[in-house]
Amino acid sequence: MDPTLLDDYKRPFLELSQLGKTYPTPRGPAVILKDLNLRIRKGEFIALIGHSGCGKSTALSMIAGLNSVTEGVMIMDGKEIDGPGPDRGVVFQSPCLLPWMTAFENVMLGVNQVYFHVSRRERRTIAEHYLQRVGLGDAMHKRATDLSNGMKQRVGIARAFALDPKMLLLDEPFGMLDQLTKYELQDVLLGLWGKDQKTALMVTHDVDEAIFLADRVVMMTNGPAAKVGDILEIDYPRPRDRHALLADANYYRYREHLIGFLENCELEKEKIAREKAENAASKKAKEPTLV
Amino acid sequence: MLHKITHILDKAGLAWISPVVRLCAGENPREQGRQIFRLIGVPLIAILLFLGAWAVIAPKVETNVGTLPGPAAVWEQAGGLWQDHRAERERRAEFYAAQEQRRAAFEERFPDREWTAREYSGRPTYIHQIVTSLKTVFMGFFFASAFAIPIGIICGMSKTVYTAVNPLIQIFKPVSPLAWLPIVMILVAALYTTDNPMFERAFLSSAIVVALCSLWPTLINTAVGVASIDKDHLNVARVLKLSWHTKVIKIIIPSSLPYIFTGLRLSLGVGWMVLIAAEMLAQNPGLGKFVWDMYQSSSSQTLSLILVAVFTIGLLGFLLDRIMLTLQQLVTFDESSV
Ligand SMILES: Nc1ncnc2c1ncn2[C@@H]1O[C@H](COP(=O)(O)OP(=O)(O)OP(=O)(O)O)[C@@H](O)[C@H]1O
Ligand SMILES: [Mg+2]
């Protein structure tokens, strides 16, 4: 491995160590994450995959500072994360724009906050720039309610990038979109990410999306007490071409690897469930029957 | 276009006009005819039945100020009140015209002396009393909103504050205006002691009582609206580290506006209802005082005049409610689609 790369890992941009999350529930504490360790280099694009309910969103919202940490520490750029802030742009699964504002105003809300030191004209230019970059040049003064889902998510992306954050956190941003819109937005996202050299962490369900976008794909084990199960390095040069990728022999190896991991998790889960059931059954059999 | 018009009519609470509009646009006459009958014909028949029953029963009810007046007598009195107002207006115009003439003559004769104009001091007519009532209720409504919306927002944002304030709300909410009025009148008399008062004391007392009784729906609805803001929207505020002030202005108020307006509409309704009682006791020269004075005068017209007031109060209350309803629907955005 490249020695400079190793150096990068020694001083990562974002480091999660021994991260844990436990929710108190009526039926006792529920351990969602336990001993989650992850190091992310500056400018890296990480895709996070795992089965539904394993705690991906939980991990992401903890990094965003929107969810409290039960155990462990998160260090970003040399500082411990404690609470949300505009240095981490978040793109939610549902775009959650403010419906009473236009697309432009939604972006301006953040821009005003981050660029409070520049003139109003400049702030407007920044917001317009990012809206144009996501392809909303003509629709930026429409009310958020009047936009299609894909357009809303474009605004969501523009809003996150316009903050000029150090890091981007995306939680299944394209989950609700049709395939074509999804491809389009993936390109938009990669374009912005490549130009601004942000560090990005994106949760996704889509194995192909993960391979196409990410430098590394992080696989989480099934919950409860989920942690990082495996990491796959995607060794393709950028800018990437979707069609060239599909023609590549490695592509299917990557795909097999990821799907294999997910299937394995599923088998594991079934095995645990079966053992549990058997245990319970044998216990019952051993119990003395009342006469 | 047609769809837009009928949509606006629906929003303005005038849904019953839309079939007429559709009919004029030549849309399915048979169906529109049925709709017109259902939305306009049926209520009209009900009103006619009511008037008929009233006309039949009223003459049979004897009171010590004559028999109960029927619809015709009441209508006649309403016309009379309107005539009164017109006559009064004319007298006023004549007074000022005459004064203007005198002033011209005076200035001609004594160019170096100052002319002192006099105000016309006619008695307030029924229309003036309506205007006074409306002013009073809006003043009270303004006080109530100015108090209830900020407090409601704070209650909605902080569970602790809400828990602290809730018992007070529950205790004061059911208090009748008649209980508030004496205290308010005494306090106003004691505290509002300027030589050149901007408001009459009676006016101020009535308005404050209206405010005290009508602020609760706004307060409670605002608190509920703020407390039920979409968590995602608040997360946006947290990620952006919006200041408290920006958060309230840009996120909390806009998203709870539909709730706030629902509260305001209920408040105005309560305020209008309470107003008449407050005016009666405080002797504020509005509709309440009118009813009270008529009752005191016990002439043969007493009952019909009071009935005119009853219908006026009802119709104005209905109108205010419609206005608020329209405003409320204008600020309600379709949140489900975002
Ligand atoms: N407030 C909470 N209290 C208790 N349990 C919670 C709470 N929030 C989430 N959970 C549980 O935590 C687990 C992980 O949830 P999370 O939303 O992070 O999953 P996910 O990996 O994002 O799933 P998906 O892919 O479906 O979005 C789930 O089992 C969920 O039931
Ligand atoms: Mg999730």
PDB file of all heavy atoms in Angstrom, chain A residues 65-66 84-86 88 94 96-101 110 113 145 152 163, chain B residues 232-233 235-236 238-243 250-251 254-255 333-334 337-338:
ATOM      1  N   GLY A  65     -24.505  14.902  14.955  1.00  0.00           N
ATOM      2  CA  GLY A  65     -24.696  15.560  16.242  1.00  0.00           C
ATOM      3  C   GLY A  65     -26.146  15.692  16.641  1.00  0.00           C
ATOM      4  O   GLY A  65     -26.477  16.349  17.624  1.00  0.00           O
ATOM      5  N   LEU A  66     -27.019  15.054  15.857  1.00  0.00           N
ATOM      6  CA  LEU A  66     -28.449  15.176  16.144  1.00  0.00           C
ATOM      7  C   LEU A  66     -28.911  14.114  17.136  1.00  0.00           C
ATOM      8  O   LEU A  66     -30.018  14.169  17.647  1.00  0.00           O
ATOM      9  CB  LEU A  66     -29.262  15.044  14.846  1.00  0.00           C
ATOM     10  CG  LEU A  66     -29.053  16.163  13.836  1.00  0.00           C
ATOM     11  CD1 LEU A  66     -29.688  15.807  12.499  1.00  0.00           C
ATOM     12  CD2 LEU A  66     -29.639  17.463  14.361  1.00  0.00           C
ATOM     13  N   PRO A  84     -24.766  19.307  16.814  1.00  0.00           N
ATOM     14  CA  PRO A  84     -24.832  19.576  15.373  1.00  0.00           C
ATOM     15  C   PRO A  84     -24.157  20.892  15.020  1.00  0.00           C
ATOM     16  O   PRO A  84     -23.885  21.709  15.891  1.00  0.00           O
ATOM     17  CB  PRO A  84     -26.336  19.663  15.112  1.00  0.00           C
ATOM     18  CG  PRO A  84     -26.929  20.080  16.410  1.00  0.00           C
ATOM     19  CD  PRO A  84     -26.048  19.542  17.490  1.00  0.00           C
ATOM     20  N   GLY A  85     -23.867  21.054  13.741  1.00  0.00           N
ATOM     21  CA  GLY A  85     -23.263  22.301  13.301  1.00  0.00           C
ATOM     22  C   GLY A  85     -23.196  22.330  11.794  1.00  0.00           C
ATOM     23  O   GLY A  85     -23.236  21.287  11.146  1.00  0.00           O
ATOM     24  N   PRO A  86     -23.067  23.516  11.225  1.00  0.00           N
ATOM     25  CA  PRO A  86     -23.067  23.638   9.764  1.00  0.00           C
ATOM     26  C   PRO A  86     -21.772  23.160   9.114  1.00  0.00           C
ATOM     27  O   PRO A  86     -21.669  23.201   7.896  1.00  0.00           O
ATOM     28  CB  PRO A  86     -23.291  25.140   9.529  1.00  0.00           C
ATOM     29  CG  PRO A  86     -22.927  25.797  10.803  1.00  0.00           C
ATOM     30  CD  PRO A  86     -23.069  24.819  11.902  1.00  0.00           C
ATOM     31  N   ARG A  88     -21.064  20.169   9.132  1.00  0.00           N
ATOM     32  CA  ARG A  88     -21.487  18.883   8.582  1.00  0.00           C
ATOM     33  C   ARG A  88     -22.830  19.085   7.890  1.00  0.00           C
ATOM     34  O   ARG A  88     -23.845  19.296   8.540  1.00  0.00           O
ATOM     35  CB  ARG A  88     -21.647  17.845   9.690  1.00  0.00           C
ATOM     36  CG  ARG A  88     -20.350  17.199  10.129  1.00  0.00           C
ATOM     37  CD  ARG A  88     -20.403  16.833  11.582  1.00  0.00           C
ATOM     38  NE  ARG A  88     -20.332  18.016  12.417  1.00  0.00           N
ATOM     39  CZ  ARG A  88     -20.929  18.123  13.605  1.00  0.00           C
ATOM     40  NH1 ARG A  88     -21.626  17.140  14.088  1.00  0.00           N
ATOM     41  NH2 ARG A  88     -20.813  19.235  14.292  1.00  0.00           N
ATOM     42  N   SER A  94     -35.958  11.978   3.428  1.00  0.00           N
ATOM     43  CA  SER A  94     -36.995  12.869   2.909  1.00  0.00           C
ATOM     44  C   SER A  94     -36.350  14.243   2.915  1.00  0.00           C
ATOM     45  O   SER A  94     -35.680  14.594   3.869  1.00  0.00           O
ATOM     46  CB  SER A  94     -38.213  12.842   3.818  1.00  0.00           C
ATOM     47  OG  SER A  94     -37.866  13.320   5.086  1.00  0.00           O
ATOM     48  N   CYS A  96     -37.058  17.100   3.528  1.00  0.00           N
ATOM     49  CA  CYS A  96     -37.470  18.015   4.590  1.00  0.00           C
ATOM     50  C   CYS A  96     -37.035  19.455   4.350  1.00  0.00           C
ATOM     51  O   CYS A  96     -36.305  20.052   5.132  1.00  0.00           O
ATOM     52  CB  CYS A  96     -37.129  17.533   5.985  1.00  0.00           C
ATOM     53  SG  CYS A  96     -35.446  17.348   6.432  1.00  0.00           S
ATOM     54  N   LEU A  97     -37.534  19.972   3.249  1.00  0.00           N
ATOM     55  CA  LEU A  97     -37.427  21.409   3.017  1.00  0.00           C
ATOM     56  C   LEU A  97     -38.523  22.081   3.817  1.00  0.00           C
ATOM     57  O   LEU A  97     -39.498  21.445   4.210  1.00  0.00           O
ATOM     58  CB  LEU A  97     -37.634  21.703   1.534  1.00  0.00           C
ATOM     59  CG  LEU A  97     -36.734  20.940   0.582  1.00  0.00           C
ATOM     60  CD1 LEU A  97     -37.068  21.302  -0.849  1.00  0.00           C
ATOM     61  CD2 LEU A  97     -35.284  21.241   0.873  1.00  0.00           C
ATOM     62  N   LEU A  98     -38.359  23.370   4.036  1.00  0.00           N
ATOM     63  CA  LEU A  98     -39.415  24.100   4.714  1.00  0.00           C
ATOM     64  C   LEU A  98     -40.458  24.471   3.663  1.00  0.00           C
ATOM     65  O   LEU A  98     -40.161  25.216   2.728  1.00  0.00           O
ATOM     66  CB  LEU A  98     -38.851  25.339   5.392  1.00  0.00           C
ATOM     67  CG  LEU A  98     -37.706  24.984   6.357  1.00  0.00           C
ATOM     68  CD1 LEU A  98     -37.075  26.226   6.931  1.00  0.00           C
ATOM     69  CD2 LEU A  98     -38.196  24.082   7.462  1.00  0.00           C
ATOM     70  N   PRO A  99     -41.673  23.909   3.785  1.00  0.00           N
ATOM     71  CA  PRO A  99     -42.634  23.977   2.673  1.00  0.00           C
ATOM     72  C   PRO A  99     -43.144  25.390   2.382  1.00  0.00           C
ATOM     73  O   PRO A  99     -43.635  25.637   1.297  1.00  0.00           O
ATOM     74  CB  PRO A  99     -43.774  23.066   3.132  1.00  0.00           C
ATOM     75  CG  PRO A  99     -43.637  22.980   4.601  1.00  0.00           C
ATOM     76  CD  PRO A  99     -42.185  23.138   4.916  1.00  0.00           C
ATOM     77  N   TRP A 100     -43.022  26.283   3.351  1.00  0.00           N
ATOM     78  CA  TRP A 100     -43.556  27.634   3.114  1.00  0.00           C
ATOM     79  C   TRP A 100     -42.526  28.527   2.435  1.00  0.00           C
ATOM     80  O   TRP A 100     -42.782  29.688   2.185  1.00  0.00           O
ATOM     81  CB  TRP A 100     -44.026  28.263   4.422  1.00  0.00           C
ATOM     82  CG  TRP A 100     -42.983  28.207   5.477  1.00  0.00           C
ATOM     83  CD1 TRP A 100     -41.998  29.096   5.708  1.00  0.00           C
ATOM     84  CD2 TRP A 100     -42.806  27.167   6.434  1.00  0.00           C
ATOM     85  NE1 TRP A 100     -41.206  28.682   6.733  1.00  0.00           N
ATOM     86  CE2 TRP A 100     -41.687  27.508   7.214  1.00  0.00           C
ATOM     87  CE3 TRP A 100     -43.486  25.970   6.730  1.00  0.00           C
ATOM     88  CZ2 TRP A 100     -41.234  26.700   8.245  1.00  0.00           C
ATOM     89  CZ3 TRP A 100     -43.026  25.185   7.757  1.00  0.00           C
ATOM     90  CH2 TRP A 100     -41.917  25.555   8.492  1.00  0.00           C
ATOM     91  N   MET A 101     -41.355  27.980   2.150  1.00  0.00           N
ATOM     92  CA  MET A 101     -40.324  28.783   1.496  1.00  0.00           C
ATOM     93  C   MET A 101     -40.092  28.278   0.077  1.00  0.00           C
ATOM     94  O   MET A 101     -40.392  27.133  -0.245  1.00  0.00           O
ATOM     95  CB  MET A 101     -39.009  28.643   2.257  1.00  0.00           C
ATOM     96  CG  MET A 101     -39.015  29.262   3.623  1.00  0.00           C
ATOM     97  SD  MET A 101     -37.362  29.096   4.311  1.00  0.00           S
ATOM     98  CE  MET A 101     -37.572  29.908   5.872  1.00  0.00           C
ATOM     99  N   GLY A 110     -29.542  28.568   5.122  1.00  0.00           N
ATOM    100  CA  GLY A 110     -28.235  28.093   5.564  1.00  0.00           C
ATOM    101  C   GLY A 110     -27.108  29.038   5.181  1.00  0.00           C
ATOM    102  O   GLY A 110     -26.200  29.284   5.968  1.00  0.00           O
ATOM    103  N   GLN A 113     -26.611  31.857   7.354  1.00  0.00           N
ATOM    104  CA  GLN A 113     -26.082  31.456   8.647  1.00  0.00           C
ATOM    105  C   GLN A 113     -24.553  31.311   8.583  1.00  0.00           C
ATOM    106  O   GLN A 113     -23.850  31.716   9.496  1.00  0.00           O
ATOM    107  CB  GLN A 113     -26.753  30.133   9.020  1.00  0.00           C
ATOM    108  CG  GLN A 113     -26.744  29.813  10.472  1.00  0.00           C
ATOM    109  CD  GLN A 113     -27.438  30.871  11.291  1.00  0.00           C
ATOM    110  OE1 GLN A 113     -28.239  31.668  10.790  1.00  0.00           O
ATOM    111  NE2 GLN A 113     -27.116  30.915  12.560  1.00  0.00           N
ATOM    112  N   THR A 145     -43.284  23.239  -1.901  1.00  0.00           N
ATOM    113  CA  THR A 145     -44.424  22.327  -2.064  1.00  0.00           C
ATOM    114  C   THR A 145     -44.690  22.009  -3.523  1.00  0.00           C
ATOM    115  O   THR A 145     -45.261  20.963  -3.823  1.00  0.00           O
ATOM    116  CB  THR A 145     -45.715  22.969  -1.515  1.00  0.00           C
ATOM    117  OG1 THR A 145     -45.443  24.298  -1.135  1.00  0.00           O
ATOM    118  CG2 THR A 145     -46.258  22.193  -0.363  1.00  0.00           C
ATOM    119  N   LYS A 152     -36.924  18.321  -5.088  1.00  0.00           N
ATOM    120  CA  LYS A 152     -36.741  18.627  -3.669  1.00  0.00           C
ATOM    121  C   LYS A 152     -35.397  18.109  -3.187  1.00  0.00           C
ATOM    122  O   LYS A 152     -34.682  18.794  -2.460  1.00  0.00           O
ATOM    123  CB  LYS A 152     -37.854  17.965  -2.849  1.00  0.00           C
ATOM    124  CG  LYS A 152     -39.140  18.744  -2.858  1.00  0.00           C
ATOM    125  CD  LYS A 152     -40.178  18.013  -2.050  1.00  0.00           C
ATOM    126  CE  LYS A 152     -41.548  18.459  -2.473  1.00  0.00           C
ATOM    127  NZ  LYS A 152     -42.567  17.462  -2.180  1.00  0.00           N
ATOM    128  N   LEU A 163     -23.484  25.211   2.292  1.00  0.00           N
ATOM    129  CA  LEU A 163     -22.945  25.542   3.614  1.00  0.00           C
ATOM    130  C   LEU A 163     -21.424  25.473   3.608  1.00  0.00           C
ATOM    131  O   LEU A 163     -20.792  25.853   4.575  1.00  0.00           O
ATOM    132  CB  LEU A 163     -23.446  24.540   4.658  1.00  0.00           C
ATOM    133  CG  LEU A 163     -24.941  24.474   4.909  1.00  0.00           C
ATOM    134  CD1 LEU A 163     -25.243  23.372   5.901  1.00  0.00           C
ATOM    135  CD2 LEU A 163     -25.403  25.806   5.460  1.00  0.00           C
TER     136      LEU A 163
ATOM    137  N   ASP B 232     -38.068  16.992  11.746  1.00  0.00           N
ATOM    138  CA  ASP B 232     -37.079  17.219  10.686  1.00  0.00           C
ATOM    139  C   ASP B 232     -36.799  18.705  10.511  1.00  0.00           C
ATOM    140  O   ASP B 232     -35.670  19.116  10.284  1.00  0.00           O
ATOM    141  CB  ASP B 232     -37.582  16.650   9.356  1.00  0.00           C
ATOM    142  CG  ASP B 232     -37.549  15.129   9.364  1.00  0.00           C
ATOM    143  OD1 ASP B 232     -36.871  14.579  10.249  1.00  0.00           O
ATOM    144  OD2 ASP B 232     -38.201  14.529   8.508  1.00  0.00           O
ATOM    145  N   HIS B 233     -37.865  19.505  10.615  1.00  0.00           N
ATOM    146  CA  HIS B 233     -37.680  20.944  10.450  1.00  0.00           C
ATOM    147  C   HIS B 233     -36.835  21.513  11.582  1.00  0.00           C
ATOM    148  O   HIS B 233     -35.997  22.391  11.372  1.00  0.00           O
ATOM    149  CB  HIS B 233     -39.036  21.659  10.391  1.00  0.00           C
ATOM    150  CG  HIS B 233     -39.826  21.288   9.177  1.00  0.00           C
ATOM    151  ND1 HIS B 233     -41.185  21.490   9.077  1.00  0.00           N
ATOM    152  CD2 HIS B 233     -39.452  20.714   8.026  1.00  0.00           C
ATOM    153  CE1 HIS B 233     -41.593  21.063   7.902  1.00  0.00           C
ATOM    154  NE2 HIS B 233     -40.558  20.581   7.255  1.00  0.00           N
ATOM    155  N   ASN B 235     -34.623  19.788  13.150  1.00  0.00           N
ATOM    156  CA  ASN B 235     -33.264  19.313  12.899  1.00  0.00           C
ATOM    157  C   ASN B 235     -32.535  20.225  11.935  1.00  0.00           C
ATOM    158  O   ASN B 235     -31.330  20.453  12.076  1.00  0.00           O
ATOM    159  CB  ASN B 235     -33.297  17.889  12.343  1.00  0.00           C
ATOM    160  CG  ASN B 235     -33.385  16.863  13.456  1.00  0.00           C
ATOM    161  OD1 ASN B 235     -33.135  17.183  14.612  1.00  0.00           O
ATOM    162  ND2 ASN B 235     -33.767  15.653  13.119  1.00  0.00           N
ATOM    163  N   VAL B 236     -33.268  20.733  10.940  1.00  0.00           N
ATOM    164  CA  VAL B 236     -32.662  21.697  10.018  1.00  0.00           C
ATOM    165  C   VAL B 236     -32.130  22.880  10.816  1.00  0.00           C
ATOM    166  O   VAL B 236     -30.989  23.321  10.640  1.00  0.00           O
ATOM    167  CB  VAL B 236     -33.688  22.167   8.970  1.00  0.00           C
ATOM    168  CG1 VAL B 236     -33.131  23.329   8.169  1.00  0.00           C
ATOM    169  CG2 VAL B 236     -34.057  21.026   8.038  1.00  0.00           C
ATOM    170  N   ARG B 238     -31.252  22.893  13.865  1.00  0.00           N
ATOM    171  CA  ARG B 238     -30.117  22.496  14.709  1.00  0.00           C
ATOM    172  C   ARG B 238     -28.848  22.384  13.881  1.00  0.00           C
ATOM    173  O   ARG B 238     -27.779  22.826  14.302  1.00  0.00           O
ATOM    174  CB  ARG B 238     -30.428  21.170  15.398  1.00  0.00           C
ATOM    175  CG  ARG B 238     -31.451  21.321  16.516  1.00  0.00           C
ATOM    176  CD  ARG B 238     -31.802  19.975  17.116  1.00  0.00           C
ATOM    177  NE  ARG B 238     -30.648  19.363  17.776  1.00  0.00           N
ATOM    178  CZ  ARG B 238     -30.595  18.071  18.110  1.00  0.00           C
ATOM    179  NH1 ARG B 238     -31.603  17.277  17.832  1.00  0.00           N
ATOM    180  NH2 ARG B 238     -29.545  17.590  18.718  1.00  0.00           N
ATOM    181  N   VAL B 239     -28.961  21.775  12.697  1.00  0.00           N
ATOM    182  CA  VAL B 239     -27.774  21.629  11.849  1.00  0.00           C
ATOM    183  C   VAL B 239     -27.220  22.996  11.478  1.00  0.00           C
ATOM    184  O   VAL B 239     -26.016  23.216  11.484  1.00  0.00           O
ATOM    185  CB  VAL B 239     -28.121  20.830  10.575  1.00  0.00           C
ATOM    186  CG1 VAL B 239     -26.985  20.919   9.575  1.00  0.00           C
ATOM    187  CG2 VAL B 239     -28.394  19.381  10.921  1.00  0.00           C
ATOM    188  N   LEU B 240     -28.127  23.933  11.175  1.00  0.00           N
ATOM    189  CA  LEU B 240     -27.675  25.265  10.755  1.00  0.00           C
ATOM    190  C   LEU B 240     -27.295  26.138  11.943  1.00  0.00           C
ATOM    191  O   LEU B 240     -26.826  27.248  11.768  1.00  0.00           O
ATOM    192  CB  LEU B 240     -28.771  25.957   9.948  1.00  0.00           C
ATOM    193  CG  LEU B 240     -29.157  25.269   8.642  1.00  0.00           C
ATOM    194  CD1 LEU B 240     -30.268  26.017   7.957  1.00  0.00           C
ATOM    195  CD2 LEU B 240     -27.954  25.164   7.732  1.00  0.00           C
ATOM    196  N   LYS B 241     -27.501  25.630  13.145  1.00  0.00           N
ATOM    197  CA  LYS B 241     -27.243  26.415  14.356  1.00  0.00           C
ATOM    198  C   LYS B 241     -27.933  27.772  14.276  1.00  0.00           C
ATOM    199  O   LYS B 241     -27.309  28.818  14.523  1.00  0.00           O
ATOM    200  CB  LYS B 241     -25.739  26.625  14.547  1.00  0.00           C
ATOM    201  CG  LYS B 241     -25.016  25.399  15.071  1.00  0.00           C
ATOM    202  CD  LYS B 241     -24.026  25.789  16.170  1.00  0.00           C
ATOM    203  CE  LYS B 241     -23.465  24.595  16.880  1.00  0.00           C
ATOM    204  NZ  LYS B 241     -22.026  24.431  16.704  1.00  0.00           N
ATOM    205  N   LEU B 242     -29.196  27.754  13.905  1.00  0.00           N
ATOM    206  CA  LEU B 242     -29.939  29.012  13.832  1.00  0.00           C
ATOM    207  C   LEU B 242     -30.051  29.609  15.223  1.00  0.00           C
ATOM    208  O   LEU B 242     -30.186  28.875  16.205  1.00  0.00           O
ATOM    209  CB  LEU B 242     -31.343  28.761  13.283  1.00  0.00           C
ATOM    210  CG  LEU B 242     -31.452  28.274  11.843  1.00  0.00           C
ATOM    211  CD1 LEU B 242     -32.913  28.175  11.442  1.00  0.00           C
ATOM    212  CD2 LEU B 242     -30.720  29.208  10.905  1.00  0.00           C
ATOM    213  N   SER B 243     -30.009  30.929  15.296  1.00  0.00           N
ATOM    214  CA  SER B 243     -30.202  31.573  16.583  1.00  0.00           C
ATOM    215  C   SER B 243     -31.660  31.395  16.988  1.00  0.00           C
ATOM    216  O   SER B 243     -32.523  31.115  16.158  1.00  0.00           O
ATOM    217  CB  SER B 243     -29.880  33.060  16.474  1.00  0.00           C
ATOM    218  OG  SER B 243     -30.814  33.671  15.611  1.00  0.00           O
ATOM    219  N   LYS B 250     -38.279  32.048  11.356  1.00  0.00           N
ATOM    220  CA  LYS B 250     -38.222  31.356  10.065  1.00  0.00           C
ATOM    221  C   LYS B 250     -38.850  29.971  10.096  1.00  0.00           C
ATOM    222  O   LYS B 250     -39.270  29.461   9.066  1.00  0.00           O
ATOM    223  CB  LYS B 250     -36.752  31.217   9.618  1.00  0.00           C
ATOM    224  CG  LYS B 250     -36.113  32.540   9.270  1.00  0.00           C
ATOM    225  CD  LYS B 250     -36.460  32.938   7.855  1.00  0.00           C
ATOM    226  CE  LYS B 250     -36.095  34.342   7.547  1.00  0.00           C
ATOM    227  NZ  LYS B 250     -34.948  34.516   6.715  1.00  0.00           N
ATOM    228  N   ILE B 251     -38.844  29.341  11.240  1.00  0.00           N
ATOM    229  CA  ILE B 251     -39.323  27.961  11.264  1.00  0.00           C
ATOM    230  C   ILE B 251     -40.545  27.779  12.154  1.00  0.00           C
ATOM    231  O   ILE B 251     -41.571  27.269  11.715  1.00  0.00           O
ATOM    232  CB  ILE B 251     -38.191  27.008  11.700  1.00  0.00           C
ATOM    233  CG1 ILE B 251     -37.101  27.067  10.635  1.00  0.00           C
ATOM    234  CG2 ILE B 251     -38.718  25.589  11.866  1.00  0.00           C
ATOM    235  CD1 ILE B 251     -35.996  26.110  10.810  1.00  0.00           C
ATOM    236  N   PRO B 254     -43.863  30.132  11.022  1.00  0.00           N
ATOM    237  CA  PRO B 254     -44.513  29.699   9.775  1.00  0.00           C
ATOM    238  C   PRO B 254     -45.127  28.307   9.869  1.00  0.00           C
ATOM    239  O   PRO B 254     -46.216  28.086   9.358  1.00  0.00           O
ATOM    240  CB  PRO B 254     -43.379  29.705   8.755  1.00  0.00           C
ATOM    241  CG  PRO B 254     -42.326  30.544   9.321  1.00  0.00           C
ATOM    242  CD  PRO B 254     -42.451  30.487  10.798  1.00  0.00           C
ATOM    243  N   SER B 255     -44.450  27.388  10.558  1.00  0.00           N
ATOM    244  CA  SER B 255     -45.000  26.042  10.527  1.00  0.00           C
ATOM    245  C   SER B 255     -46.167  25.893  11.489  1.00  0.00           C
ATOM    246  O   SER B 255     -46.975  24.990  11.320  1.00  0.00           O
ATOM    247  CB  SER B 255     -43.923  24.997  10.794  1.00  0.00           C
ATOM    248  OG  SER B 255     -43.650  24.940  12.152  1.00  0.00           O
ATOM    249  N   PHE B 333     -50.822  25.496   4.423  1.00  0.00           N
ATOM    250  CA  PHE B 333     -50.155  24.952   3.253  1.00  0.00           C
ATOM    251  C   PHE B 333     -50.292  23.440   3.308  1.00  0.00           C
ATOM    252  O   PHE B 333     -50.595  22.863   4.330  1.00  0.00           O
ATOM    253  CB  PHE B 333     -48.692  25.353   3.246  1.00  0.00           C
ATOM    254  CG  PHE B 333     -48.054  25.206   4.589  1.00  0.00           C
ATOM    255  CD1 PHE B 333     -47.561  23.991   5.000  1.00  0.00           C
ATOM    256  CD2 PHE B 333     -48.023  26.289   5.460  1.00  0.00           C
ATOM    257  CE1 PHE B 333     -47.018  23.857   6.247  1.00  0.00           C
ATOM    258  CE2 PHE B 333     -47.479  26.144   6.716  1.00  0.00           C
ATOM    259  CZ  PHE B 333     -46.977  24.927   7.111  1.00  0.00           C
ATOM    260  N   ASP B 334     -50.034  22.825   2.175  1.00  0.00           N
ATOM    261  CA  ASP B 334     -50.153  21.379   2.106  1.00  0.00           C
ATOM    262  C   ASP B 334     -48.855  20.751   2.576  1.00  0.00           C
ATOM    263  O   ASP B 334     -47.929  20.561   1.812  1.00  0.00           O
ATOM    264  CB  ASP B 334     -50.455  20.978   0.666  1.00  0.00           C
ATOM    265  CG  ASP B 334     -50.833  19.520   0.596  1.00  0.00           C
ATOM    266  OD1 ASP B 334     -50.930  18.895   1.672  1.00  0.00           O
ATOM    267  OD2 ASP B 334     -51.025  19.021  -0.510  1.00  0.00           O
ATOM    268  N   SER B 337     -47.189  17.020   1.482  1.00  0.00           N
ATOM    269  CA  SER B 337     -46.496  16.744   0.230  1.00  0.00           C
ATOM    270  C   SER B 337     -45.014  17.080   0.282  1.00  0.00           C
ATOM    271  O   SER B 337     -44.322  16.945  -0.709  1.00  0.00           O
ATOM    272  CB  SER B 337     -47.161  17.514  -0.906  1.00  0.00           C
ATOM    273  OG  SER B 337     -47.039  18.889  -0.683  1.00  0.00           O
ATOM    274  N   VAL B 338     -44.528  17.558   1.405  1.00  0.00           N
ATOM    275  CA  VAL B 338     -43.088  17.838   1.470  1.00  0.00           C
ATOM    276  C   VAL B 338     -42.392  16.795   2.352  1.00  0.00           C
ATOM    277  O   VAL B 338     -42.903  16.447   3.385  1.00  0.00           O
ATOM    278  CB  VAL B 338     -42.818  19.248   2.026  1.00  0.00           C
ATOM    279  CG1 VAL B 338     -41.348  19.393   2.371  1.00  0.00           C
ATOM    280  CG2 VAL B 338     -43.179  20.270   0.983  1.00  0.00           C
TER     281      VAL B 338
END
